[in-house]
Amino acid sequence: MIEVKNVNKSFNGKHVLKDVSTIFEQGKVNMVIGQSGSGKTVLIKCIVGLFEPDEGSIFFNERNFIGLGFKEKKEIRKEIGMLFQGAALFDSFNVEENVMFPLNMFTEMSLSEKLDRVNFCLKRVNLENVNKLSPSELSGGMKKRVAIARAIAMNPRYLFCDEPNSGLDPKTSILIDNLISEITKEFNITTIVNTHDMNSVFEVGDNIAFIYKGLLWWQGTYLEIMDSDNTELNDFVYATELMKKIKKK
Amino acid sequence: MLKFFNELGVYFILLGKVFKKPDKTKVFWQQLVFEIDKIGLDSLGIVFIISIFMGGVVAIQTAFNIDSPWFPVYSVGFTVRQSVILEFSPTIVSLILAGKVGSHIASEIGTMRVTEQIDALDIMGVNSANYLILPKIVAAMIINPILVVISMFLGIFGGWLACYFTGLVMSAHYVYGVQLDFRGYDVFYALVKTIVFAFLITSASSYKGYYVEGGSLEVGKASTKAVVYSSILIILFNLILTQMLLS
Ligand SMILES: Nc1ncnc2c1ncn2[C@@H]1O[C@H](COP(=O)(O)OP(=O)(O)OP(=O)(O)O)[C@@H](O)[C@H]1O
Ligand SMILES: [Mg+2]
């Protein structure tokens, strides 16, 4: 469980996150939705500590992350897996070395144990026989899957995904979404997914938080979003003609 | 001016993050060997060519300039040795490496920054500055002096080649001049300079790359700036160190 309390963040006087408070539950896919530029990425980066919030606290299972030293943060970070918008695979390493990297840095496992773990993770994301390929030889969807494999290599308790299906075709998107959802349930992870893809929200979202102009505007479950009468939320969710038609039915 | 001190401050903060004990010593050694190979062996070719020609040119110029009976012919060998050891090898080779290695480091680290690979390292709990930059700095401080020593031999040999093929100075006279009045301290001075330059090149270029913001255009700019900064630092510290060590 991750609890965000009164988080504020500004960049050069521009107030991006305004007093955001919410709870992300364990074993659930917690979705953060909102328009481009609304502050989703900034929120996620504040939670994982890539940005320091100006105010507020962030609790990882009751442990406040803010104000910890590098060493204590490191202990929590080992429990965090993150999937970046552009996958962020290390391009000087091949697929196997990418997934093995956290194991090399933080465990004392033997090479064969590490290889077993790597192959387990790659198999979990339905990738086999790609161990020796370099990231530049992979398609966008494969990169995302390798990145998921790397993110789960250390058995994380928390998984963050920033726009996991941007730039992917609808079929591959669903594949990635389902993968994230399955892994979340299977390993009882607290998962937070940033997206503006309503498809994913209806497909795998358990809890949904809607960010509007830096404020946490609305939150609820997947069922509640359908019947909400919040104007801004409806404008966002039913922005496309297709979604409007679905709503009418 | 304020901007300058701001940048200097950020640079020293970065160095503070770099000079920490590596997370995993074994991984550090692997990285170090890899960087020595990349920075050092990859630069052998260019060091080879530049040194030979540098020595040759110094020899020919000296031979023409001392075309007077008051100067003994062996002073060509002597002059080549002194200028190659004191100045040409350490400074010119470092400047060349600033261009080659500096731009490479800045673009490599800069690309990792804009593609969020550095964020990925930080999230895992890896000290990204230490992991990426320390091996590069240490590798250059080890391998550049070796390159410079090689360059010294090649430069003096280049001078000999030039004398031999132009017939300006006889081989024996050249060799006599090269051996005349040799001071080990000169080599020490040259190597101290080289090590300082190696540190400046790698740390300044890493700094430029590490703090890139934006996309590939900014990475390109950072890589150019890395070369400019490194070169200026080399010229500046050349003066400071020469003043400190030779006077
Ligand atoms: N490092 C930064 N420096 C200054 N401003 C920033 C920085 N990062 C984000 N911002 C600003 O914060 C606001 C929110 O950006 P953010 O990246 O969180 O949007 P987002 O909701 O993730 O959008 P998208 O869906 O397009 O990814 C934007 O107006 C952006 O300009
Ligand atoms: Mg974003």
Side-chain angles (χ1 to χ4, degrees), chain A residues 169-186:
Chain A
D169 62 88
K171 235 181 145 174
T172 315
S173 292
I174 291 178
L175 203 105
I176 300 280
D177 287 338
N178 286 332
L179 199 54
I180 291 171
S181 167
E182 284 162 26
I183 288 170
T184 302
K185 312 272 142 86
E186 197 174 316

Side-chain angles (χ1 to χ4, degrees), chain A:
Chain A
M1 189 192 79
I2 295 176
E3 186 174 3
V4 176
K5 259 192 185 161
N6 307 95
V7 165
N8 280 284
K9 176 77 188 169
S10 307
F11 292 103
N12 319 319
K14 189 175 165 207
H15 207 166
V16 177
L17 291 181
K18 298 167 191 158
D19 222 28
V20 174
S21 301
T22 183
I23 287 177
F24 300 109
E25 290 176 51
Q26 185 166 356
K28 298 265 169 70
V29 177
N30 301 278
M31 295 227 158
V32 179
I33 58 174
Q35 253 181 336
S36 189
S38 56
K40 302 183 297 289
T41 301
V42 173
L43 176 63
I44 245 189
K45 287 193 172 173
C46 280
I47 299 177
V48 297
L50 287 175
F51 291 148
E52 191 83 15
D54 303 331
E55 268 173 58
S57 16
I58 286 150
F59 296 92
F60 285 79
N61 289 56
E62 271 86 58
R63 295 166 297 174
N64 191 352
F65 193 62
I66 307 298
L68 292 181
F70 183 79
K71 276 227 173 73
E72 292 103 19
K73 276 192 178 158
K74 191 167 153 181
E75 288 311 308
I76 296 187
R77 282 194 163 137
K78 284 188 206 163
E79 303 173 358
I80 295 179
M82 178 147 178
L83 172 60
F84 284 88
Q85 199 157 341
L89 298 177
F90 304 125
D91 29 44
S92 51
F93 293 156
N94 64 27
V95 168
E96 183 177 287
E97 289 162 340
N98 260 287
V99 182
M100 203 185 282
F101 181 82
L103 304 175
N104 284 336
M105 293 304 285
F106 299 115
T107 70
E108 300 297 334
M109 293 162 107
S110 71
L111 184 65
S112 67
E113 284 170 329
K114 284 188 279 196
L115 274 176
D116 282 348
R117 181 73 194 154
V118 168
N119 288 325
F120 170 82
C121 293
L122 284 173
K123 199 163 170 207
R124 189 64 200 78
V125 296
N126 310 318
L127 282 176
E128 273 165 287
N129 304 321
V130 295
N131 289 36
K132 301 294 173 199
L133 295 182
S134 78
S136 58
E137 293 172 292
L138 304 176
S139 72
M142 285 162 93
K143 274 186 203 161
K144 290 267 162 85
R145 282 188 277 165
V146 175
I148 296 178
R150 184 178 69 184
I152 61 171
M154 292 281 287
N155 264 324
R157 294 172 72 185
Y158 315 98
L159 181 64
F160 294 84
C161 308
D162 195 4
E163 316 262 347
N165 38 30
S166 66
L168 299 181
D169 62 88
K171 235 181 145 174
T172 315
S173 292
I174 291 178
L175 203 105
I176 300 280
D177 287 338
N178 286 332
L179 199 54
I180 291 171
S181 167
E182 284 162 26
I183 288 170
T184 302
K185 312 272 142 86
E186 197 174 316
F187 304 111
N188 200 21
I189 299 173
T190 306
T191 299
I192 300 179
V193 178
N194 265 359
T195 187
H196 34 57
D197 181 358
M198 287 318 294
N199 225 343
S200 329
V201 176
F202 292 129
E203 198 74 34
V204 297
D206 293 315
N207 296 330
I208 295 122
F210 173 58
I211 307 254
Y212 180 71
K213 294 188 176 163
L215 291 159
L216 190 90
W217 200 255
W218 182 92
Q219 57 185 327
T221 62
Y222 153 78
L223 289 172
E224 285 163 351
I225 204 171
M226 309 282 265
D227 314 317
S228 159
D229 49 10
N230 187 307
T231 324
E232 286 76 15
L233 178 67
N234 281 337
D235 280 354
F236 177 78
V237 174
Y238 301 106
T240 63
E241 288 304 315
L242 179 68
M243 292 303 286
K244 279 177 195 150
K245 275 183 200 156
I246 293 173
K247 168 115 177 164
K248 272 181 201 140
K249 282 178 192 167

